[in-house]
Amino acid sequence: MKILKPASEVFEAFVDPTKIGNFWFSSSSEKWQQGRTITLEYKEYNAIVEILIMEIEDNKKIVFQWGEPEQERTVTISLTEQDDLITIVEVNEEGFKEEHSDFYHQLIDNKEGWVFMLTCLKGYLELGVNTLRTGLAK
């Protein structure tokens, strides 16, 4: 996803608990730092998720692990600044089990979720719109 903002602003939107609620989870327990376990909440969906921050490279990369024990997946969010005003955000999630009976559904559902989150991020950072994230219904 191309975001018309510098990588530093995109990075801070993820790691700053006062900003993440504008495009993704409704709240984050603390600033994202390597080695920390962060509690993320979706108040609208009555859901709480814990993530383990495995790697942080300021303004370039965030790697975290999430999911149920024995089913954890690793997410890498990469930021590539093309110039001072354009950042490409790439999300890769690994660890899906091909033998799982719902494998293909998980992949499609996952892709849709990431596209939605990135769209909300773009709307928030470029236009100041912070109400999109609550529009997802299953």
PDB file of all heavy atoms in Angstrom, residues 52-74:
ATOM      1  N   LEU A  52       3.639 -10.474  20.609  1.00  0.00           N
ATOM      2  CA  LEU A  52       5.007 -10.384  21.105  1.00  0.00           C
ATOM      3  C   LEU A  52       5.832  -9.676  20.042  1.00  0.00           C
ATOM      4  O   LEU A  52       5.940 -10.159  18.911  1.00  0.00           O
ATOM      5  CB  LEU A  52       5.583 -11.778  21.374  1.00  0.00           C
ATOM      6  CG  LEU A  52       7.076 -11.829  21.708  1.00  0.00           C
ATOM      7  CD1 LEU A  52       7.389 -11.051  22.983  1.00  0.00           C
ATOM      8  CD2 LEU A  52       7.545 -13.272  21.822  1.00  0.00           C
ATOM      9  N   ILE A  53       6.396  -8.532  20.403  1.00  0.00           N
ATOM     10  CA  ILE A  53       7.217  -7.778  19.460  1.00  0.00           C
ATOM     11  C   ILE A  53       8.588  -8.455  19.388  1.00  0.00           C
ATOM     12  O   ILE A  53       9.346  -8.450  20.353  1.00  0.00           O
ATOM     13  CB  ILE A  53       7.365  -6.298  19.878  1.00  0.00           C
ATOM     14  CG1 ILE A  53       6.004  -5.646  20.113  1.00  0.00           C
ATOM     15  CG2 ILE A  53       8.186  -5.534  18.833  1.00  0.00           C
ATOM     16  CD1 ILE A  53       5.101  -5.575  18.912  1.00  0.00           C
ATOM     17  N   MET A  54       8.880  -9.028  18.244  1.00  0.00           N
ATOM     18  CA  MET A  54      10.115  -9.778  18.068  1.00  0.00           C
ATOM     19  C   MET A  54      11.259  -8.905  17.547  1.00  0.00           C
ATOM     20  O   MET A  54      12.416  -9.142  17.877  1.00  0.00           O
ATOM     21  CB  MET A  54       9.864 -10.952  17.131  1.00  0.00           C
ATOM     22  CG  MET A  54       8.796 -11.901  17.680  1.00  0.00           C
ATOM     23  SD  MET A  54       8.337 -13.184  16.542  1.00  0.00           S
ATOM     24  CE  MET A  54       9.846 -14.132  16.525  1.00  0.00           C
ATOM     25  N   GLU A  55      10.909  -7.928  16.724  1.00  0.00           N
ATOM     26  CA  GLU A  55      11.946  -7.075  16.135  1.00  0.00           C
ATOM     27  C   GLU A  55      11.340  -5.725  15.763  1.00  0.00           C
ATOM     28  O   GLU A  55      10.229  -5.659  15.255  1.00  0.00           O
ATOM     29  CB  GLU A  55      12.517  -7.749  14.885  1.00  0.00           C
ATOM     30  CG  GLU A  55      13.617  -6.990  14.206  1.00  0.00           C
ATOM     31  CD  GLU A  55      14.126  -7.688  12.948  1.00  0.00           C
ATOM     32  OE1 GLU A  55      13.787  -8.864  12.700  1.00  0.00           O
ATOM     33  OE2 GLU A  55      14.867  -7.034  12.195  1.00  0.00           O
ATOM     34  N   ILE A  56      12.088  -4.690  16.040  1.00  0.00           N
ATOM     35  CA  ILE A  56      11.691  -3.333  15.646  1.00  0.00           C
ATOM     36  C   ILE A  56      12.920  -2.663  15.028  1.00  0.00           C
ATOM     37  O   ILE A  56      13.994  -2.658  15.631  1.00  0.00           O
ATOM     38  CB  ILE A  56      11.235  -2.488  16.856  1.00  0.00           C
ATOM     39  CG1 ILE A  56       9.926  -3.008  17.424  1.00  0.00           C
ATOM     40  CG2 ILE A  56      11.152  -1.019  16.503  1.00  0.00           C
ATOM     41  CD1 ILE A  56       8.694  -2.273  17.025  1.00  0.00           C
ATOM     42  N   GLU A  57      12.746  -2.126  13.856  1.00  0.00           N
ATOM     43  CA  GLU A  57      13.766  -1.297  13.241  1.00  0.00           C
ATOM     44  C   GLU A  57      13.077   0.025  12.921  1.00  0.00           C
ATOM     45  O   GLU A  57      12.225   0.078  12.018  1.00  0.00           O
ATOM     46  CB  GLU A  57      14.312  -1.964  11.977  1.00  0.00           C
ATOM     47  CG  GLU A  57      15.510  -1.270  11.399  1.00  0.00           C
ATOM     48  CD  GLU A  57      16.100  -2.017  10.206  1.00  0.00           C
ATOM     49  OE1 GLU A  57      15.793  -3.199   9.994  1.00  0.00           O
ATOM     50  OE2 GLU A  57      16.881  -1.363   9.482  1.00  0.00           O
ATOM     51  N   ASP A  58      13.397   1.055  13.678  1.00  0.00           N
ATOM     52  CA  ASP A  58      12.702   2.335  13.566  1.00  0.00           C
ATOM     53  C   ASP A  58      12.513   2.759  12.110  1.00  0.00           C
ATOM     54  O   ASP A  58      13.471   2.784  11.328  1.00  0.00           O
ATOM     55  CB  ASP A  58      13.454   3.437  14.315  1.00  0.00           C
ATOM     56  CG  ASP A  58      13.321   3.311  15.825  1.00  0.00           C
ATOM     57  OD1 ASP A  58      12.565   2.446  16.296  1.00  0.00           O
ATOM     58  OD2 ASP A  58      13.976   4.095  16.530  1.00  0.00           O
ATOM     59  N   ASN A  59      11.264   3.071  11.793  1.00  0.00           N
ATOM     60  CA  ASN A  59      10.865   3.610  10.488  1.00  0.00           C
ATOM     61  C   ASN A  59      11.080   2.633   9.326  1.00  0.00           C
ATOM     62  O   ASN A  59      10.945   3.030   8.171  1.00  0.00           O
ATOM     63  CB  ASN A  59      11.584   4.927  10.191  1.00  0.00           C
ATOM     64  CG  ASN A  59      11.413   5.922  11.311  1.00  0.00           C
ATOM     65  OD1 ASN A  59      10.394   5.950  11.988  1.00  0.00           O
ATOM     66  ND2 ASN A  59      12.414   6.740  11.533  1.00  0.00           N
ATOM     67  N   LYS A  60      11.378   1.358   9.632  1.00  0.00           N
ATOM     68  CA  LYS A  60      11.632   0.400   8.558  1.00  0.00           C
ATOM     69  C   LYS A  60      10.903  -0.929   8.711  1.00  0.00           C
ATOM     70  O   LYS A  60      10.402  -1.470   7.729  1.00  0.00           O
ATOM     71  CB  LYS A  60      13.131   0.111   8.441  1.00  0.00           C
ATOM     72  CG  LYS A  60      13.925   1.307   7.989  1.00  0.00           C
ATOM     73  CD  LYS A  60      15.368   0.976   7.791  1.00  0.00           C
ATOM     74  CE  LYS A  60      16.100   2.259   7.500  1.00  0.00           C
ATOM     75  NZ  LYS A  60      16.811   2.311   6.312  1.00  0.00           N
ATOM     76  N   LYS A  61      10.837  -1.460   9.944  1.00  0.00           N
ATOM     77  CA  LYS A  61      10.278  -2.805  10.080  1.00  0.00           C
ATOM     78  C   LYS A  61       9.754  -3.061  11.486  1.00  0.00           C
ATOM     79  O   LYS A  61      10.345  -2.629  12.466  1.00  0.00           O
ATOM     80  CB  LYS A  61      11.357  -3.839   9.741  1.00  0.00           C
ATOM     81  CG  LYS A  61      10.885  -5.253   9.812  1.00  0.00           C
ATOM     82  CD  LYS A  61      11.798  -6.279   9.169  1.00  0.00           C
ATOM     83  CE  LYS A  61      13.194  -6.301   9.666  1.00  0.00           C
ATOM     84  NZ  LYS A  61      13.964  -7.470   9.211  1.00  0.00           N
ATOM     85  N   ILE A  62       8.641  -3.814  11.529  1.00  0.00           N
ATOM     86  CA  ILE A  62       8.056  -4.308  12.780  1.00  0.00           C
ATOM     87  C   ILE A  62       7.761  -5.783  12.549  1.00  0.00           C
ATOM     88  O   ILE A  62       7.095  -6.146  11.574  1.00  0.00           O
ATOM     89  CB  ILE A  62       6.737  -3.574  13.117  1.00  0.00           C
ATOM     90  CG1 ILE A  62       6.961  -2.067  13.250  1.00  0.00           C
ATOM     91  CG2 ILE A  62       6.104  -4.170  14.371  1.00  0.00           C
ATOM     92  CD1 ILE A  62       5.688  -1.248  13.251  1.00  0.00           C
ATOM     93  N   VAL A  63       8.259  -6.625  13.447  1.00  0.00           N
ATOM     94  CA  VAL A  63       7.987  -8.055  13.366  1.00  0.00           C
ATOM     95  C   VAL A  63       7.350  -8.468  14.688  1.00  0.00           C
ATOM     96  O   VAL A  63       7.896  -8.180  15.761  1.00  0.00           O
ATOM     97  CB  VAL A  63       9.270  -8.884  13.127  1.00  0.00           C
ATOM     98  CG1 VAL A  63       8.942 -10.372  13.040  1.00  0.00           C
ATOM     99  CG2 VAL A  63       9.986  -8.416  11.863  1.00  0.00           C
ATOM    100  N   PHE A  64       6.186  -9.110  14.608  1.00  0.00           N
ATOM    101  CA  PHE A  64       5.547  -9.597  15.830  1.00  0.00           C
ATOM    102  C   PHE A  64       4.945 -10.970  15.603  1.00  0.00           C
ATOM    103  O   PHE A  64       4.749 -11.412  14.480  1.00  0.00           O
ATOM    104  CB  PHE A  64       4.502  -8.607  16.362  1.00  0.00           C
ATOM    105  CG  PHE A  64       3.309  -8.365  15.481  1.00  0.00           C
ATOM    106  CD1 PHE A  64       2.189  -9.187  15.535  1.00  0.00           C
ATOM    107  CD2 PHE A  64       3.290  -7.281  14.620  1.00  0.00           C
ATOM    108  CE1 PHE A  64       1.077  -8.932  14.741  1.00  0.00           C
ATOM    109  CE2 PHE A  64       2.186  -7.016  13.824  1.00  0.00           C
ATOM    110  CZ  PHE A  64       1.077  -7.853  13.884  1.00  0.00           C
ATOM    111  N   GLN A  65       4.673 -11.624  16.726  1.00  0.00           N
ATOM    112  CA  GLN A  65       4.062 -12.949  16.691  1.00  0.00           C
ATOM    113  C   GLN A  65       2.723 -12.853  17.414  1.00  0.00           C
ATOM    114  O   GLN A  65       2.605 -12.170  18.432  1.00  0.00           O
ATOM    115  CB  GLN A  65       4.982 -13.947  17.393  1.00  0.00           C
ATOM    116  CG  GLN A  65       4.624 -15.390  17.139  1.00  0.00           C
ATOM    117  CD  GLN A  65       5.705 -16.292  17.706  1.00  0.00           C
ATOM    118  OE1 GLN A  65       6.011 -16.243  18.883  1.00  0.00           O
ATOM    119  NE2 GLN A  65       6.291 -17.107  16.849  1.00  0.00           N
ATOM    120  N   TRP A  66       1.736 -13.541  16.862  1.00  0.00           N
ATOM    121  CA  TRP A  66       0.424 -13.600  17.500  1.00  0.00           C
ATOM    122  C   TRP A  66      -0.245 -14.909  17.181  1.00  0.00           C
ATOM    123  O   TRP A  66       0.222 -15.659  16.334  1.00  0.00           O
ATOM    124  CB  TRP A  66      -0.431 -12.413  17.132  1.00  0.00           C
ATOM    125  CG  TRP A  66      -0.853 -12.241  15.684  1.00  0.00           C
ATOM    126  CD1 TRP A  66      -0.530 -13.009  14.600  1.00  0.00           C
ATOM    127  CD2 TRP A  66      -1.696 -11.211  15.182  1.00  0.00           C
ATOM    128  NE1 TRP A  66      -1.104 -12.512  13.467  1.00  0.00           N
ATOM    129  CE2 TRP A  66      -1.837 -11.407  13.797  1.00  0.00           C
ATOM    130  CE3 TRP A  66      -2.355 -10.144  15.770  1.00  0.00           C
ATOM    131  CZ2 TRP A  66      -2.608 -10.569  12.992  1.00  0.00           C
ATOM    132  CZ3 TRP A  66      -3.109  -9.317  14.954  1.00  0.00           C
ATOM    133  CH2 TRP A  66      -3.232  -9.526  13.591  1.00  0.00           C
ATOM    134  N   GLY A  67      -1.344 -15.183  17.861  1.00  0.00           N
ATOM    135  CA  GLY A  67      -2.100 -16.406  17.630  1.00  0.00           C
ATOM    136  C   GLY A  67      -2.093 -17.319  18.834  1.00  0.00           C
ATOM    137  O   GLY A  67      -1.357 -17.118  19.797  1.00  0.00           O
ATOM    138  N   GLU A  68      -2.942 -18.318  18.752  1.00  0.00           N
ATOM    139  CA  GLU A  68      -3.067 -19.310  19.822  1.00  0.00           C
ATOM    140  C   GLU A  68      -1.793 -20.146  19.922  1.00  0.00           C
ATOM    141  O   GLU A  68      -1.109 -20.347  18.914  1.00  0.00           O
ATOM    142  CB  GLU A  68      -4.267 -20.221  19.531  1.00  0.00           C
ATOM    143  CG  GLU A  68      -5.596 -19.496  19.460  1.00  0.00           C
ATOM    144  CD  GLU A  68      -6.000 -18.873  20.767  1.00  0.00           C
ATOM    145  OE1 GLU A  68      -5.789 -19.512  21.830  1.00  0.00           O
ATOM    146  OE2 GLU A  68      -6.511 -17.739  20.758  1.00  0.00           O
ATOM    147  N   PRO A  69      -1.480 -20.661  21.123  1.00  0.00           N
ATOM    148  CA  PRO A  69      -0.312 -21.546  21.248  1.00  0.00           C
ATOM    149  C   PRO A  69      -0.396 -22.697  20.244  1.00  0.00           C
ATOM    150  O   PRO A  69      -1.474 -23.222  19.984  1.00  0.00           O
ATOM    151  CB  PRO A  69      -0.416 -22.066  22.690  1.00  0.00           C
ATOM    152  CG  PRO A  69      -1.209 -21.013  23.407  1.00  0.00           C
ATOM    153  CD  PRO A  69      -2.170 -20.452  22.382  1.00  0.00           C
ATOM    154  N   GLU A  70       0.742 -23.026  19.685  1.00  0.00           N
ATOM    155  CA  GLU A  70       0.864 -24.069  18.658  1.00  0.00           C
ATOM    156  C   GLU A  70       0.316 -23.625  17.301  1.00  0.00           C
ATOM    157  O   GLU A  70       0.351 -24.371  16.340  1.00  0.00           O
ATOM    158  CB  GLU A  70       0.193 -25.381  19.079  1.00  0.00           C
ATOM    159  CG  GLU A  70       0.647 -25.920  20.416  1.00  0.00           C
ATOM    160  CD  GLU A  70       2.117 -26.301  20.421  1.00  0.00           C
ATOM    161  OE1 GLU A  70       2.598 -26.891  19.442  1.00  0.00           O
ATOM    162  OE2 GLU A  70       2.787 -25.976  21.426  1.00  0.00           O
ATOM    163  N   GLN A  71      -0.255 -22.411  17.234  1.00  0.00           N
ATOM    164  CA  GLN A  71      -0.778 -21.883  15.975  1.00  0.00           C
ATOM    165  C   GLN A  71      -0.287 -20.451  15.739  1.00  0.00           C
ATOM    166  O   GLN A  71      -0.893 -19.707  14.972  1.00  0.00           O
ATOM    167  CB  GLN A  71      -2.307 -21.901  15.981  1.00  0.00           C
ATOM    168  CG  GLN A  71      -2.900 -23.271  16.082  1.00  0.00           C
ATOM    169  CD  GLN A  71      -4.421 -23.231  16.110  1.00  0.00           C
ATOM    170  OE1 GLN A  71      -5.052 -22.319  15.573  1.00  0.00           O
ATOM    171  NE2 GLN A  71      -5.022 -24.216  16.739  1.00  0.00           N
ATOM    172  N   GLU A  72       0.794 -20.076  16.425  1.00  0.00           N
ATOM    173  CA  GLU A  72       1.300 -18.717  16.293  1.00  0.00           C
ATOM    174  C   GLU A  72       1.724 -18.438  14.856  1.00  0.00           C
ATOM    175  O   GLU A  72       2.174 -19.325  14.146  1.00  0.00           O
ATOM    176  CB  GLU A  72       2.520 -18.491  17.200  1.00  0.00           C
ATOM    177  CG  GLU A  72       2.225 -18.589  18.670  1.00  0.00           C
ATOM    178  CD  GLU A  72       2.632 -19.939  19.239  1.00  0.00           C
ATOM    179  OE1 GLU A  72       2.841 -20.900  18.468  1.00  0.00           O
ATOM    180  OE2 GLU A  72       2.740 -20.037  20.463  1.00  0.00           O
ATOM    181  N   ARG A  73       1.530 -17.199  14.485  1.00  0.00           N
ATOM    182  CA  ARG A  73       1.976 -16.742  13.173  1.00  0.00           C
ATOM    183  C   ARG A  73       2.856 -15.513  13.371  1.00  0.00           C
ATOM    184  O   ARG A  73       2.713 -14.791  14.342  1.00  0.00           O
ATOM    185  CB  ARG A  73       0.781 -16.438  12.286  1.00  0.00           C
ATOM    186  CG  ARG A  73      -0.020 -17.709  11.968  1.00  0.00           C
ATOM    187  CD  ARG A  73      -1.075 -17.481  10.919  1.00  0.00           C
ATOM    188  NE  ARG A  73      -2.057 -16.479  11.231  1.00  0.00           N
ATOM    189  CZ  ARG A  73      -3.222 -16.710  11.832  1.00  0.00           C
ATOM    190  NH1 ARG A  73      -3.541 -17.919  12.208  1.00  0.00           N
ATOM    191  NH2 ARG A  73      -4.059 -15.725  12.038  1.00  0.00           N
ATOM    192  N   THR A  74       3.745 -15.299  12.424  1.00  0.00           N
ATOM    193  CA  THR A  74       4.659 -14.165  12.474  1.00  0.00           C
ATOM    194  C   THR A  74       4.267 -13.158  11.403  1.00  0.00           C
ATOM    195  O   THR A  74       4.087 -13.515  10.241  1.00  0.00           O
ATOM    196  CB  THR A  74       6.115 -14.635  12.250  1.00  0.00           C
ATOM    197  OG1 THR A  74       6.443 -15.587  13.269  1.00  0.00           O
ATOM    198  CG2 THR A  74       7.075 -13.471  12.307  1.00  0.00           C
TER     199      THR A  74
END
